[in-house]
Amino acid sequence: MEDCNMHIILLSGGAGTRLWPLSNSARSKQFLKLLTSPDGSLESIVQRLFRQLKNVGLNKSVLVSTNATQKDSFLSQIGSNLEIIAEPCRRDTFAAIILACTYLHDVQHLLAEEPIIVMPCDQYVDESYFDCIKQIASQVATGYADLVLMGIKPTYPSTKFGYIMPSHEMSGKAFKVDGFKEKPTEIMAEKYIRSNALWNGGVFGFKLGFVINIVKQYFNAIDFNIVYHQFKRLPKISFDYQVVERTKNIEVVEYDGSWDDLGTWSSLAVKTSKSQFGNVTATSTCVNSLIANELNIPIICSGLSDMVVVASYDGILVSRKDESEGLKKYVADLPTRPLYEERRWGTYKVVDAESFPNGLSQLTKNIVLKPGCSISYQVHQYRSEVWTIVNGTGLFVLDGVVKEVGPGDVLVILSKQKHAIKAKTELTMIEVQLGTELVESDIERFDWNW
Amino acid sequence: MEDCNMHIILLSGGAGTRLWPLSNSARSKQFLKLLTSPDGSLESIVQRLFRQLKNVGLNKSVLVSTNATQKDSFLSQIGSNLEIIAEPCRRDTFAAIILACTYLHDVQHLLAEEPIIVMPCDQYVDESYFDCIKQIASQVATGYADLVLMGIKPTYPSTKFGYIMPSHEMSGKAFKVDGFKEKPTEIMAEKYIRSNALWNGGVFGFKLGFVINIVKQYFNAIDFNIVYHQFKRLPKISFDYQVVERTKNIEVVEYDGSWDDLGTWSSLAVKTSKSQFGNVTATSTCVNSLIANELNIPIICSGLSDMVVVASYDGILVSRKDESEGLKKYVADLPTRPLYEERRWGTYKVVDAESFPNGLSQLTKNIVLKPGCSISYQVHQYRSEVWTIVNGTGLFVLDGVVKEVGPGDVLVILSKQKHAIKAKTELTMIEVQLGTELVESDIERFDWNW
């Protein structure tokens, strides 16, 4: 197949409660390193996708559209030369695609004729998926449809997915689309499948001009800065509802390779080559169970059958595999603060937290900075912080005064004092926060020239 | 029944790995607050026993024989006016009883005729147990036997207990004992039970003089200080092997009330009126399962049947109830340092710990001191400590200099610096240890007059 000059918009979002407690608002399922790469090391869904994109020569044409928190995870897992748009606030896929296309037009100066592919970043696929992507791009470039969708060949009558109903009329390698069906009953799903219906997996292509014409309905000029700063004006709605379902001239290309959205512990358990992660002891009476432990205390399991046991700094899940899907509502009731985060500069985990009768709270973190990375120059109004350096060396700034720090140094930062730290070598510190309001939003950032 | 002037030696020991991860070398099962007291609050096995002893008027006649670590737990759970002997090192029940009897003779000046009852502190019994104890004491006082045992009426042909074989010959309210049978097979156990055999639960009585005569075989004088300081000279053997099995003139009194040694999660689960402890969310599909969480992160459970899930700062257990007994060997392979301890002065939990390539390790603790309590004046050779006070007020001593401390104060203690702290109000601090050897034994204690 000939390669065409496509560009890919990779959408990454999701609060990620379905794979709780490993996923949280700062760590969606696509960043969990639970898959095994060809060299035997662990990789995340996103790392697997970029490895595959690189294999087929498409990694250079990717623009990631995500939020500020996930941006750090991408830079950390994929690399710093990745092109990323961080949305100023959470909307939905319609706004994300509007912003990304404006960027491609206004900043990258792509032509209206260029084929654009939109795809989610959290799917587990094989390499024939990328052949299908190229086929969609080529169909977009040479055909007459406004939108060319990927239709995934169903493997069972799922009630979780939307269905694309193709007609019998072909156009090149695509079918024309007759219509869409929302999540059906199992009986209806069986009927659709007999009529060659396909799952809608959220992958589609279009000429850049098609979306730019939509941008013009909301903004006077195709100007990235304007769209970015007026992002909130865009409706909070999916691209599917706002555009796909209102477009007449749609085609679909079938993909019948392996496909999974790894949205549940049971689907993930099938794809992982390991059944135990971290400090786990399982007796021989444990069968068909996934046990993952991110804590530094041991887990001992015995007599488990078809279970999932997952422990992280956010919490512990012990569930029968087939029930792990229904727990979203219980997770939603938990306090939402993530207790583990992977950032561009490193990681932190909350190791202790409590509130006292006098209104003060303490929160203790273990913070690891990568070599050369820094935490921004910042100030807090409602808390003091005590940093005890336990490993590595770095530079510490307090109200403009810089000093070298290393193991054993204790840095006391009062509220309203500006502070920052930069690691020379990998640096670990224990942070004790003390104050009346221990929230991530109590922060004001300033510039500092290291 | 008339009360007689008995004295009780309450034996408390046990490394406590069977109820891992709640029990550890510093926290045996008898101190876990998993039972419900009549007023609805949670109580430990030891607290239940002392409540029962008080109800029957026997709490004043108790001498506790235990080790230094458990001494703190007794003082914390039962009260500071409890009479306790802390053995200088771990031997077995023979040495413990020798030391306790020497104390009763030499320090309390009891007469050789006084009836002494020895009982373990970790049994779940009803109040008729204490009637049986009184009966044993009265049998000791008025009869001619050297030893009067309690025989527990078996409820099933257990292979875990030793059996006492009574003869048909009565002496007052006791039977003469024909012999003993070690842990039998189930078939043999059934046979013993048909011959009226009774379980040996480790409860027995004797006249003080009987044991004092044995003390004389090892020491020239019945002097508590000498026996205490030469404690190691005593053989490491149980009183059962060393004395009971070599004594001819033994009687047994039957107890047929409720009795359980609560040695396994499944037996404990039967006695707890609650099935969930701590921060636990269990769906309605969880049945017949015990879920206990001492961590401050949530546990969500779904679809559990006949399971035990227990999380503490020492680790996490997820097991089928009927398999939880066989895990001792796995627990034995884990690092043995307890990560949670209840002390006389308060509690501590290890919230984080790690070692670095340069040979340094850090260990972070949350330490709570009760009002008026203090940590001894001490020095460490191989570690520094940073204490951040996050709640309460107290007095801090560093190399002889005292100062008042409160929330936000940061106390840096270098290796070789003498230090102590005393709480005025309940005081919480985060301690960060940093050094080459982070072991509890790196400590030298000094006197300090507060």
Side-chain angles (χ1 to χ4, degrees):
Chain A
M1 183 180 307
E2 98 238 62
D3 277 13
C4 71
N5 198 21
M6 78 175 92
H7 282 76
I8 294 172
I9 297 172
L10 193 68
L11 298 180
S12 182
T17 54
R18 283 203 296 173
L19 293 187
W20 185 91
L22 288 198
S23 62
N24 60 36
S25 62
R27 198 160 62 130
S28 292
K29 65 173 183 187
Q30 55 264 34
F31 301 112
L32 302 176
K33 293 188 184 177
L34 295 171
L35 303 172
T36 310
S37 75
D39 71 11
S41 62
L42 291 176
E43 66 179 2
S44 67
I45 301 176
V46 154
Q47 286 175 319
R48 176 184 158 90
L49 181 67
F50 272 86
R51 182 170 54 71
Q52 291 175 314
L53 283 165
K54 194 175 176 189
N55 285 348
V56 298
L58 287 175
N59 58 315
K60 299 291 181 199
S61 60
V62 173
L63 173 66
V64 174
S65 167
T66 186
N67 55 47
T69 332
Q70 292 196 1
K71 182 178 175 182
D72 281 358
S73 298
F74 270 104
L75 292 171
S76 162
Q77 292 201 349
I78 307 301
S80 56
N81 55 357
L82 190 62
E83 203 149 10
I84 302 180
I85 298 176
E87 301 155 26
C89 60
R90 184 163 285 183
R91 300 307 273 164
D92 202 330
T93 52
F94 174 69
I97 291 168
I98 290 289
L99 184 66
C101 287
T102 304
Y103 181 86
L104 293 174
H105 178 92
D106 183 39
V107 181
Q108 292 206 348
H109 307 298
L110 296 197
L111 301 176
E113 293 305 304
E114 297 271 6
I116 309 297
I117 300 285
V118 172
M119 65 161 84
C121 72
D122 58 353
Q123 298 182 344
Y124 185 96
V125 295
D126 65 37
E127 296 201 356
S128 68
Y129 178 86
F130 302 95
D131 293 337
C132 183
I133 295 285
K134 287 175 182 174
Q135 217 168 323
I136 292 170
S138 137
Q139 185 72 16
V140 166
T142 60
Y144 302 97
D146 290 323
L147 287 165
V148 179
L149 311 183
M150 176 187 283
I152 297 141
K153 197 172 169 84
T155 48
Y156 67 98
S158 171
T159 60
K160 288 189 309 179
F161 302 121
Y163 285 73
I164 302 166
M165 311 301 290
S167 72
H168 297 290
E169 201 181 331
M170 289 214 62
S171 152
K173 288 176 177 173
F175 287 92
K176 297 210 167 189
V177 170
D178 255 1
F180 297 93
K181 300 288 180 188
E182 269 307 289
K183 298 172 184 175
T185 62
E186 196 170 324
I187 290 166
M188 289 308 290
E190 279 170 357
K191 201 181 141 198
Y192 298 156
I193 292 173
R194 283 195 297 272
S195 318
N196 300 315
L198 301 165
W199 288 340
N200 186 355
V203 180
F204 48 86
F206 49 78
K207 292 200 182 80
L208 181 56
F210 173 70
V211 168
I212 293 300
N213 282 333
I214 298 170
V215 181
K216 286 177 184 163
Q217 295 167 21
Y218 292 87
F219 298 95
N220 294 326
I222 309 300
D223 181 314
F224 178 71
N225 268 316
I226 290 172
V227 178
Y228 184 86
H229 287 106
Q230 300 183 8
F231 191 70
K232 277 190 184 164
R233 280 180 46 201
L234 291 166
K236 200 169 185 173
I237 193 170
S238 76
F239 192 82
D240 263 15
Y241 282 136
Q242 184 70 1
V243 179
V244 180
E245 298 198 355
R246 298 177 183 181
T247 302
K248 288 270 163 28
N249 193 8
I250 307 184
E251 296 172 356
V252 62
V253 175
E254 184 183 289
Y255 166 61
D256 76 348
S258 84
W259 185 88
D260 200 311
D261 69 347
L262 300 187
T264 63
W265 281 114
S266 43
S267 65
L268 193 62
V270 173
K271 303 296 179 193
T272 55
S273 60
K274 289 174 68 176
S275 61
Q276 293 168 28
F277 297 86
N279 189 348
V280 172
T281 302
T283 66
S284 57
T285 56
C286 290
V287 292
N288 198 21
S289 295
L290 176 69
I291 309 165
N293 182 13
E294 284 197 337
L295 300 174
N296 57 13
I297 54 175
I299 293 187
I300 295 183
C301 291
S302 180
L304 307 190
S305 178
D306 296 297
M307 301 271 296
V308 51
V309 176
V310 185
S312 83
Y313 284 89
D314 280 341
I316 300 167
L317 172 72
V318 181
S319 174
R320 260 181 44 195
K321 267 188 193 166
D322 56 1
E323 294 197 2
S324 65
E325 271 189 68
L327 301 176
K328 216 171 168 173
K329 61 180 176 295
Y330 300 100
V331 176
D333 288 340
L334 299 175
T336 51
R337 181 193 178 103
L339 300 180
Y340 177 91
E341 289 201 30
E342 200 171 297
R343 295 283 184 86
R344 181 176 16 176
W345 47 258
T347 56
Y348 81 75
K349 59 190 184 194
V350 174
V351 295
D352 196 34
E354 64 193 321
S355 295
F356 303 106
N358 63 359
L360 286 177
S361 298
Q362 69 91 357
L363 191 140
T364 304
K365 285 181 180 181
N366 177 310
I367 298 174
V368 182
L369 273 84
K370 296 182 193 173
C373 290
S374 56
I375 292 177
S376 63
Y377 197 42
Q378 55 190 238
V379 73
H380 313 294
Q381 294 301 315
Y382 302 107
R383 69 172 182 259
S384 62
E385 293 181 348
V386 178
W387 294 353
T388 303
I389 313 292
V390 293
N391 187 47
T393 56
L395 289 173
F396 172 68
V397 192
L398 187 68
D399 280 341
V401 181
V402 184
K403 70 169 179 177
E404 303 233 349
V405 293
D409 282 332
V410 180
L411 312 168
V412 178
I413 303 149
L414 303 178
S415 65
K416 302 184 172 55
Q417 283 193 310
K418 290 181 187 169
H419 56 284
I421 190 163
K422 179 176 185 169
K424 287 181 160 179
T425 60
E426 183 174 279
L427 186 147
T428 304
M429 62 187 191
I430 307 299
E431 172 182 282
V432 180
Q433 299 182 0
L434 182 65
T436 51
E437 268 188 62
L438 304 186
V439 292
E440 290 286 312
S441 55
D442 173 18
I443 189 168
E444 194 183 346
R445 292 193 166 86
F446 303 88
D447 288 328
W448 181 262
N449 286 320
W450 293 101
Chain B
M1 183 178 309
E2 99 236 65
D3 276 17
C4 71
N5 197 22
M6 78 174 94
H7 283 75
I8 295 173
I9 297 172
L10 194 66
L11 298 179
S12 183
T17 53
R18 284 203 294 174
L19 293 187
W20 185 91
L22 287 198
S23 62
N24 60 36
S25 61
R27 199 160 61 130
S28 293
K29 64 172 182 185
Q30 55 263 38
F31 302 112
L32 302 176
K33 293 188 185 176
L34 296 171
L35 303 173
T36 311
S37 74
D39 70 10
S41 63
L42 291 176
E43 66 179 3
S44 68
I45 300 177
V46 153
Q47 287 175 320
R48 177 184 158 89
L49 181 66
F50 271 87
R51 181 170 54 72
Q52 291 176 315
L53 284 166
K54 195 175 176 191
N55 284 348
V56 296
L58 287 175
N59 57 315
K60 298 290 181 199
S61 61
V62 174
L63 172 66
V64 174
S65 167
T66 186
N67 56 47
T69 331
Q70 292 196 1
K71 182 180 175 180
D72 281 359
S73 298
F74 270 104
L75 292 172
S76 162
Q77 292 201 348
I78 306 302
S80 55
N81 55 357
L82 192 62
E83 202 151 10
I84 302 181
I85 297 176
E87 301 155 26
C89 61
R90 182 163 288 184
R91 301 306 273 163
D92 202 330
T93 52
F94 174 68
I97 291 168
I98 289 290
L99 184 65
C101 287
T102 304
Y103 180 87
L104 292 175
H105 179 91
D106 184 39
V107 181
Q108 292 205 349
H109 307 298
L110 295 198
L111 301 175
E113 293 306 303
E114 296 269 6
I116 308 297
I117 300 286
V118 172
M119 65 161 82
C121 72
D122 59 352
Q123 298 182 344
Y124 184 96
V125 293
D126 63 40
E127 295 201 356
S128 68
Y129 178 85
F130 302 96
D131 293 336
C132 184
I133 294 285
K134 288 175 182 175
Q135 218 167 321
I136 292 170
S138 137
Q139 184 72 16
V140 166
T142 59
Y144 302 95
D146 289 324
L147 287 166
V148 181
L149 311 184
M150 177 186 284
I152 296 141
K153 197 173 168 82
T155 49
Y156 67 98
S158 170
T159 60
K160 288 189 308 180
F161 302 120
Y163 285 74
I164 302 167
M165 311 303 287
S167 71
H168 297 291
E169 199 182 334
M170 288 213 64
S171 153
K173 288 174 176 173
F175 287 93
K176 298 208 167 191
V177 170
D178 255 2
F180 297 93
K181 300 289 179 188
E182 267 309 287
K183 299 172 184 177
T185 61
E186 197 171 322
I187 290 166
M188 288 309 288
E190 280 169 358
K191 200 180 142 199
Y192 297 157
I193 291 173
R194 280 195 299 273
S195 319
N196 299 314
L198 301 165
W199 288 338
N200 187 354
V203 180
F204 49 88
F206 48 80
K207 292 199 183 80
L208 181 57
F210 173 71
V211 169
I212 293 301
N213 283 332
I214 298 170
V215 182
K216 287 177 182 164
Q217 296 167 21
Y218 293 88
F219 298 94
N220 294 326
I222 309 299
D223 180 315
F224 178 72
N225 268 315
I226 290 172
V227 177
Y228 184 87
H229 287 106
Q230 299 184 10
F231 191 70
K232 277 189 182 164
R233 279 179 48 199
L234 291 166
K236 201 170 185 173
I237 192 169
S238 75
F239 192 82
D240 264 14
Y241 282 135
Q242 184 71 2
V243 180
V244 181
E245 297 197 356
R246 297 177 184 181
T247 302
K248 288 267 160 35
N249 192 7
I250 307 184
E251 295 171 355
V252 62
V253 175
E254 184 182 289
Y255 166 61
D256 76 346
S258 84
W259 185 89
D260 200 311
D261 70 346
L262 300 187
T264 63
W265 281 113
S266 44
S267 65
L268 193 62
V270 173
K271 302 296 180 196
T272 56
S273 61
K274 290 175 68 177
S275 61
Q276 293 167 28
F277 296 87
N279 190 347
V280 171
T281 303
T283 66
S284 57
T285 58
C286 291
V287 291
N288 198 20
S289 296
L290 176 69
I291 309 165
N293 182 14
E294 284 197 337
L295 300 173
N296 56 12
I297 55 175
I299 293 187
I300 294 182
C301 292
S302 182
L304 307 191
S305 180
D306 296 296
M307 302 269 298
V308 52
V309 177
V310 186
S312 82
Y313 284 89
D314 279 341
I316 301 167
L317 172 71
V318 182
S319 174
R320 259 179 44 192
K321 268 187 193 168
D322 56 359
E323 294 198 3
S324 65
E325 271 189 68
L327 300 175
K328 218 171 166 172
K329 59 178 178 294
Y330 300 100
V331 175
D333 288 341
L334 298 175
T336 50
R337 182 193 178 105
L339 299 180
Y340 176 90
E341 288 201 31
E342 199 170 300
R343 297 281 184 88
R344 184 177 14 177
W345 46 258
T347 57
Y348 80 75
K349 58 190 185 192
V350 174
V351 296
D352 197 33
E354 63 192 322
S355 296
F356 303 105
N358 64 357
L360 286 177
S361 297
Q362 69 91 357
L363 190 139
T364 304
K365 284 183 181 180
N366 178 311
I367 298 175
V368 182
L369 273 85
K370 296 182 193 174
C373 290
S374 56
I375 292 177
S376 63
Y377 197 41
Q378 54 189 241
V379 72
H380 312 295
Q381 295 300 316
Y382 302 108
R383 68 172 182 261
S384 62
E385 294 182 347
V386 179
W387 293 353
T388 303
I389 312 293
V390 293
N391 188 46
T393 57
L395 289 173
F396 172 67
V397 192
L398 188 67
D399 280 339
V401 181
V402 185
K403 69 170 177 176
E404 303 233 350
V405 294
D409 282 332
V410 180
L411 312 169
V412 178
I413 303 149
L414 303 178
S415 64
K416 302 184 173 55
Q417 284 192 309
K418 291 181 187 167
H419 55 285
I421 189 164
K422 179 176 184 170
K424 287 180 160 181
T425 61
E426 183 175 279
L427 186 148
T428 305
M429 62 187 192
I430 306 299
E431 172 182 283
V432 180
Q433 301 182 358
L434 183 65
T436 50
E437 267 188 62
L438 303 186
V439 290
E440 290 287 311
S441 55
D442 174 18
I443 189 166
E444 194 182 347
R445 291 194 167 86
F446 302 89
D447 287 328
W448 181 262
N449 286 321
W450 292 102

